Amino acid sequence: MYTKDGEKYFILDAHVALWDARPENQRNIHGKQFIDCFYDYHRNLSPASELWPYEEYLYQGGERLMKDLFTDGYVDHAIFQPARLGEFYKTGFGQTREAFELASANPDKLTYNHYFDPRDGERGLDQLRQDAQEMHLKGVKLYTADWHGDSRGYKLSDPWTYKYLEVCRELGIKNIHVHKGPTIRPLDRDAFDVADVDHVATDFTDLNFVVEHCGLPRLEDFCWIATQEPNVYAGLAVALPFIHTRPRYFAQIIGELLYWLDENRIFFSSDYALWTPKWLVETFVDLQIPEDMSEYAPLTTDQKKKILGLNAAALYDIPVPAELQVANPPQFAEPQAVAVA
């Protein structure tokens, strides 16, 4: 919980990870390229006081995560969003087993989301069913630009992806998080395009599609999709750190999201360990839209409370103490499933 000027904020970090990018886990040069690109994001968008040494950045481990999030970072609950990247890392980039075991040991603080890749075919469907049973999954994280053999990406609208989403529906996995944001070397920028979100949001109205990184650098495309698809949500991972280096740019991002969507469909995300939540929470609570950006309404305290935690808590049915709620808490309709042609 974070407290400022007498106001108390429930903090839910909706996008965190444990990763292992140490040289011994790198399968090839692309593993080094990927983590080096991550580190460039970290170095270029962080305050000097928050910079990690490169060697520490390669692997953080569960003990440090618990300290950075829950001891130092004000976080009340966090959701793991792993990325496999098996073509680049021997045991994968996101350490899924380590993250799942940490979440299992701390269910009051951590929720574990898993992943699937539709290019795994029938074998992957069987694995998804097994994972859902073992891990009690409420959500998955998809990386449409991930490499797989000769493939350098897939679309949410691909027939095999639809088969996996239909199984998610059967298994009660309702929250589909999708990386649709800035590219990371060596992945292809176009494989993160947001257009396919429009297809699946229309055809799976009973699933929630959380577009991580709110589609950057395609914010306008994302907003036009999200305004007509009520089951599309915006994750602020990667967008938030611009609050430090480009505060007017971030004011534009949050202003556009609040204009096109609403205050109930935007989620705070630190993208740990790209960044730590402490300074992001503090800076966001203090944020005001510049007066000369009058096309955007001022941010209210209740809006900040919803974005910082209440919205994601409502989507994931995570309990929030009554004293940390707002007068009009976020509510989401339960849409009916529609047949997929």
Side-chain angles (χ1 to χ4, degrees):
M1 184 181 69
Y2 180 62
T3 302
K4 180 71 182 288
D5 297 332
E7 297 286 351
K8 297 180 179 180
Y9 300 80
F10 180 86
I11 308 298
L12 196 155
D13 195 335
H15 192 299
V16 304
L18 286 173
W19 66 60
D20 186 357
R22 292 174 290 190
E24 56 267 30
N25 194 35
Q26 295 174 14
R27 189 180 295 278
N28 46 44
I29 186 61
H30 299 314
K32 186 175 189 324
Q33 290 173 332
F34 188 89
I35 192 60
D36 285 356
C37 186
F38 259 34
Y39 191 68
D40 284 343
Y41 277 115
H42 168 74
R43 181 177 56 192
N44 293 328
L45 297 181
S46 300
S49 61
E50 305 300 324
L51 291 177
W52 289 19
Y54 178 78
E55 292 72 20
E56 293 182 19
Y57 202 71
L58 298 177
Y59 173 76
Q60 59 275 176
E63 184 176 346
R64 178 160 190 174
L65 177 143
M66 297 299 290
K67 180 179 186 298
D68 288 341
L69 268 60
F70 302 107
T71 302
D72 299 336
Y74 311 118
V75 174
D76 296 286
H77 200 94
I79 302 174
F80 278 117
Q81 310 287 359
R84 180 166 60 176
L85 300 172
E87 298 290 336
F88 304 162
Y89 297 97
K90 296 173 185 176
T91 64
F93 178 67
Q95 296 303 287
T96 57
R97 180 53 53 178
E98 184 179 5
F100 171 65
E101 291 176 354
L102 190 65
S104 299
N106 299 276
D108 58 325
K109 294 183 178 297
L110 290 163
T111 293
Y112 178 75
N113 283 356
H114 201 46
Y115 58 75
F116 68 71
D117 189 320
R119 294 165 295 184
D120 289 334
E122 291 290 348
R123 174 180 59 84
L125 287 174
D126 292 339
Q127 187 65 54
L128 177 60
R129 294 186 179 96
Q130 179 180 327
D131 292 337
Q133 182 177 9
E134 177 191 2
M135 299 173 175
H136 308 289
L137 298 177
K138 294 182 178 181
V140 291
K141 167 70 184 295
L142 307 184
Y143 227 76
T144 57
D146 196 1
W147 292 8
H148 191 290
D150 294 333
S151 169
R152 290 173 60 152
Y154 67 92
K155 292 184 180 298
L156 299 177
S157 52
D158 289 343
W160 268 105
T161 311
Y162 268 47
K163 292 182 180 181
Y164 277 72
L165 292 175
E166 288 164 357
V167 170
C168 284
R169 170 189 283 163
E170 296 168 5
L171 297 171
I173 303 173
K174 291 187 175 183
N175 301 319
I176 313 299
H177 296 249
V178 194
H179 179 113
K180 293 291 187 179
T183 192
I184 305 114
R185 190 183 186 199
L187 303 177
D188 296 338
R189 178 181 181 272
D190 289 348
F192 287 135
D193 189 273
V194 298
D196 53 351
V197 175
D198 191 24
H199 291 264
V200 292
T202 297
D203 288 342
F204 292 90
T205 58
D206 52 336
L207 300 181
N208 306 307
F209 294 92
V210 183
V211 176
E212 300 295 351
H213 324 297
C214 55
L216 295 177
R218 309 169 189 85
L219 180 65
E220 185 175 6
D221 289 349
F222 166 73
C223 287
W224 278 95
I225 292 169
T227 196
Q228 68 179 9
E229 304 289 355
N231 56 334
V232 171
Y233 302 77
L236 289 177
V238 175
L240 258 173
F242 284 103
I243 203 171
H244 168 63
T245 59
R246 295 290 187 274
R248 291 179 65 86
Y249 177 53
F250 180 76
Q252 178 188 10
I253 291 172
I254 197 69
E256 291 292 328
L257 291 174
L258 287 168
Y259 175 82
W260 290 99
L261 283 72
D262 58 55
E263 61 198 36
N264 298 313
R265 289 194 283 150
I266 306 170
F267 298 159
F268 168 79
S269 307
S270 71
D271 216 345
Y272 183 89
L274 269 162
W275 299 277
T276 48
K278 182 177 186 293
W279 69 272
L280 291 170
V281 170
E282 292 172 346
T283 310
F284 183 73
V285 167
D286 290 343
L287 174 72
Q288 286 300 331
I289 302 292
E291 292 184 1
D292 64 329
M293 298 177 72
S294 57
E295 66 269 34
Y296 304 123
L299 279 169
T300 69
T301 298
D302 280 3
Q303 285 176 327
K304 292 176 181 179
K305 288 183 176 182
K306 287 184 174 184
I307 292 168
L308 281 168
L310 299 181
N311 291 340
L315 196 71
Y316 274 84
D317 298 320
I318 293 170
V320 176
E323 65 269 21
L324 300 182
Q325 280 287 2
V326 292
N328 296 303
Q331 296 182 351
F332 308 114
E334 289 288 342
Q336 299 298 312
V338 297
V340 178

